[in-house]
Amino acid sequence: MKLGIVGLPNVGKSTLFNSLTNAGALAANYPFATIDPNVGVVAVPDIRLKQLGELYNSKKVTPATIEFVDIAGLVKGASKGEGLGNQFLANIRETDAIVHVVRCFDDTNVIHVDGSVDPVRDIETINLELVFADLEVLERRIAKTSKAARMDKTAAKELETLNKIKEVLEADKMARELEFEDPEEKAFVNSLDLLTWKPVIYAANVKDDDLADDGASNKYVAAVKELASKTGSEVFVISAQIEAEISELDEDEKAEFLESMGLTESGLDKLIAASYKTLGLMSFLTSGEDETRAWTIKIGTKAPQAAGKIHTDFERGFIKAEVINYQDLLREGSIAAAKEKGLVRMEGKEYVVQDGDVILFRFNV
């Protein structure tokens, strides 16, 4: 999973990236502190892995990971190459989803590129640049497809879809606001790699005193949530500054710090939960003496395709999947004890893998 962290200059984007990844990206109180995209890989916290690793005395425990890309600040006119626009837009195209950091606090000591705090305006600024960039892509594609559509039914159908999206963008709306029931049409739209088609998660960056009530009393957060609700986007409240402090602590200190703040989870935990929900992802687990590992798959994935995440041979030669829920396995203390109680199931090709399944795949190539 690859997430692009975006936002106008000085909204807390690079501070958040640093705290999430400890990658040391430059964070400064002026535009374009991030000149090149910074990349950091973050382990997905998962208590199940630690528990299973201890049960099996695994030599190695390997969590799922998320790749974060901190993308240079955007200004009006980016689609025309203003600021670092072209580079910014190219980097977004390579991500699975966009984490849009918006400033939801007043502070006269922190410059705002537009002179005042207005998260809805900030969101609309970036959205408009994405719309302009996608319109350029569509116009080129429409010109090319129009010629083929005269003689080709498939091209004619594609042209119809392209024009449908163009109409939405010209109304200053996002492509993701469209719904496509036809799987082939949806696959075609996916292949266009449009910026406005990518799912967005909004990170409302607040001061630490707004964290305890999750920004409930913050008028800026309320405005972001209202806007996000129109497109079904996730919003999570975060303090980039607090996350920076948390990132310096070990696990025990982190838990104490969160408790002292009246919090139950860190911003990273919130972001990961929002990302998995937005992208429709979940994890199944494999465990043994050599390794305990989490594997990220789409919700609804069947057993052979899940096996293919481990190795293509597993999918090609799939026979059966030996499945047990991780809670049942931990409670019984061993796979043998679980089998005695009939808690281990043998599942075939049509089995839809569930979050928290511990699976041993049987295959023959």
Side-chain angles (χ1 to χ4, degrees):
M1 177 167 32
K2 192 172 185 179
L3 303 178
I5 301 180
V6 307
L8 289 171
N10 303 325
V11 295
K13 182 174 58 65
S14 289
T15 302
L16 176 60
F17 172 81
N18 289 348
S19 61
L20 294 179
T21 65
N22 281 319
L26 175 65
N29 185 23
Y30 55 87
F32 310 128
T34 309
I35 302 301
D36 297 308
N38 293 273
V39 179
V41 178
V42 176
V44 175
D46 193 337
I47 187 63
R48 301 173 301 187
L49 288 176
K50 182 182 177 185
Q51 294 168 332
L52 289 169
E54 289 172 353
L55 179 66
Y56 279 92
N57 291 315
S58 302
K59 294 172 187 171
K60 185 165 70 168
V61 174
T62 306
T65 59
I66 296 179
E67 188 173 318
F68 288 107
V69 184
D70 179 25
I71 297 169
L74 180 67
V75 292
K76 288 176 185 174
S79 59
K80 304 298 181 187
E82 291 294 323
L84 298 170
N86 291 333
Q87 178 181 321
F88 168 90
L89 297 168
N91 292 328
I92 296 181
R93 291 196 191 280
E94 299 171 3
T95 63
D96 299 310
I98 297 169
V99 179
H100 189 159
V101 183
V102 284
R103 178 172 162 182
C104 293
F105 64 88
D106 292 305
D107 188 338
T108 54
N109 295 317
V110 181
I111 301 163
H112 191 290
V113 72
D114 284 330
S116 63
V117 178
D118 183 343
V120 172
R121 177 201 60 210
D122 294 352
I123 290 168
E124 288 173 349
T125 295
I126 285 190
N127 282 354
L128 202 54
E129 295 307 321
L130 302 184
V131 165
F132 289 153
D134 278 352
L135 278 170
E136 283 189 22
V137 170
L138 283 176
E139 282 164 4
R140 288 196 299 269
R141 188 67 181 256
I142 287 169
K144 183 181 175 183
T145 308
S146 294
K147 296 174 185 176
R150 296 170 194 155
M151 304 291 290
D152 186 316
K153 287 184 179 179
T154 301
K157 187 177 179 182
E158 288 178 355
L159 182 62
E160 187 182 326
T161 302
L162 291 168
N163 282 318
K164 191 188 300 182
I165 300 168
K166 184 170 181 275
E167 188 178 326
V168 167
L169 295 181
E170 286 176 336
D172 294 340
K173 294 182 179 179
M174 312 299 275
R176 63 177 173 274
E177 294 180 46
L178 284 169
E179 291 185 13
F180 296 97
E181 299 298 330
D182 181 352
E184 286 186 13
E185 189 177 23
K186 191 171 183 179
F188 171 65
V189 177
N190 284 334
S191 74
L192 297 173
D193 209 17
L194 296 174
L195 302 174
T196 59
W197 180 247
K198 292 183 184 294
V200 173
I201 303 160
Y202 293 105
N205 186 19
V206 302
K207 288 194 168 181
D208 56 1
D209 52 6
D210 278 333
L211 278 178
D213 67 354
D214 205 35
S217 56
N218 184 308
K219 64 180 181 181
Y220 299 131
V221 173
V224 173
K225 286 183 175 178
E226 183 181 352
L227 183 148
S229 67
K230 294 174 184 175
T231 55
S233 296
E234 292 286 311
V235 179
F236 71 101
V237 177
I238 195 168
S239 166
Q241 204 57 52
I242 291 297
E243 288 303 307
E245 293 179 35
I246 290 173
S247 70
E248 301 296 325
L249 305 175
D250 63 30
E251 287 303 312
D252 290 339
E253 290 173 328
K254 191 181 295 183
E256 288 178 18
F257 183 82
L258 289 171
E259 189 177 346
S260 72
M261 294 282 297
L263 305 173
T264 56
E265 57 184 351
S266 70
L268 176 59
D269 295 332
K270 288 182 183 179
L271 174 51
I272 288 171
S275 303
Y276 270 65
K277 183 177 179 182
T278 296
L279 293 171
L281 301 175
M282 52 165 256
S283 294
F284 74 90
L285 312 163
T286 55
S287 195
E289 287 184 15
D290 287 335
E291 183 181 34
T292 291
R293 182 164 179 167
W295 304 87
T296 303
I297 57 172
K298 283 273 188 185
I299 293 171
T301 299
K302 292 184 178 180
Q305 288 69 51
K309 283 287 290 184
I310 301 173
H311 198 286
T312 52
D313 284 351
F314 284 29
E315 181 175 359
R316 191 158 52 91
F318 179 87
I319 300 172
K320 291 283 184 184
E322 188 177 283
V323 183
I324 181 172
N325 178 270
Y326 83 98
Q327 290 176 316
D328 291 337
L329 178 55
L330 290 172
R331 187 181 62 252
E332 299 306 321
S334 72
I335 198 75
K339 281 181 177 178
E340 284 181 13
K341 291 195 174 179
L343 297 172
V344 180
R345 311 182 309 278
M346 296 301 290
E347 301 286 0
K349 291 183 178 180
E350 294 305 307
Y351 176 68
V352 176
V353 175
Q354 302 299 305
D355 186 59
D357 278 349
V358 182
I359 306 180
L360 174 65
F361 292 105
R362 302 192 182 280
F363 70 101
N364 182 31
V365 178

